[in-house]
Amino acid sequence: MAAGAGVGLCVAATIASVAQGGTFWARWIWFAVVLVAALYAAVWRGVKAAPGNVLFSLHARLSVVAALMDIAIWALADAGFFYPLWTIAGYAILLGVHAVIRYRRRGSREQQLARRVEVLTRTRRGAVDAQAAELQRIERDLHDGAQVRMVSLAMKLGLAEQLARRDPDAAIELMADARQSSLAALDELRTVMRGIQPPVLSDRGLVGAIQALALDLSVPTTVIADLPGHAAVPVESAVYLAVAECLANVVKHSHATNTWVTLRYDAGALSATVGDDGVGGADLDQGTGLVGIARRLDAFDGTIEVRSPTGGPTEVIMEIPCELSSPRTTPSSGTG
């Protein structure tokens, strides 16, 4: 309808201008209508460009319309010197600058994507390696621990069965020994299960599990937590095991008299800081413990930072981006 009204206006203006004679003033009406139509077409086609190209497409199409408008004004006004040369040069320079900026941004995004792909590839490889190592550890623990005890238990029960009639006292002694072996095998199985998913983590949550862990340490440990909810189980398990590994390193290597664990949630990331007042000198590039923690966190896009100058203190700062699922129902407390 708008197009029809514009054409009608141009036809009416043309008839009136011809009837009056003299200067053909209707050409400016035609110019205005054509300019509006060209602007509409440029914007309509520009916004339909591929995502990420809309702004440049609009700039390019509007620059062409502006250049043609200047040429048309020069031609309709009989201005003499071709001044649109300068405005067209300005449009071209601006469009060229835009193209350069767009190219650099695209290159930067491509570099970011390439780095991201590299990180994901390394993370996946690390997660696979960590899973394979964990499976080997579980298999080794079962083979060398619980399985050996279960075989010993079966042999003792067999001997007790043979001795039951001939030597009841010896049979009773073997059965008592077998009972102790069964309890030891049960402890071995529980140890293996704790390495997969610590029961205390399921029962008490991340904060309670770390507080329970701190109570068992020979070094006095303070736990400070400010978590407004609960993370996903795999995330909490990764943080718990990472903190447990850090605390084990404190006990083994730091000669510390005090250590502390701080849990925070800020800007969409769960952070855990393990610090001690020991001798320092911890290095992420040396030793398998910290490297294992880094690989564990990599699987969740997590990061680890070690601050450990010689002479201490040492702080291991770990972060995992995540969402918390539910509000906190019990207040956090310190453990000393």
Side-chain angles (χ1 to χ4, degrees), residues 137-138 141 184-199:
R137 182 191 65 81
I138 294 172
D141 290 345
L186 182 59
D187 288 338
E188 292 282 352
L189 289 175
R190 286 174 176 169
T191 300
V192 173
M193 291 302 297
R194 290 191 188 99
I196 300 173
Q197 175 65 30

Side-chain angles (χ1 to χ4, degrees), residues 13-85:
T14 299
I15 294 174
S17 179
V18 171
Q20 291 178 1
T23 303
F24 185 65
W25 53 265
R27 66 183 184 275
W28 296 108
I29 305 298
W30 280 97
F31 169 76
V33 171
V34 172
L35 177 61
V36 171
L39 288 173
Y40 174 81
V43 172
W44 184 75
R45 294 299 298 271
V47 298
K48 290 185 175 295
N53 296 328
V54 174
L55 185 60
F56 183 77
S57 178
L58 283 172
H59 187 180
R61 294 175 187 279
L62 291 176
S63 296
V64 172
V65 171
L68 294 176
M69 178 189 69
D70 290 341
I71 294 174
I73 292 174
W74 170 79
L76 293 174
D78 295 329
F81 175 72
F82 189 66
Y83 68 86
L85 176 66

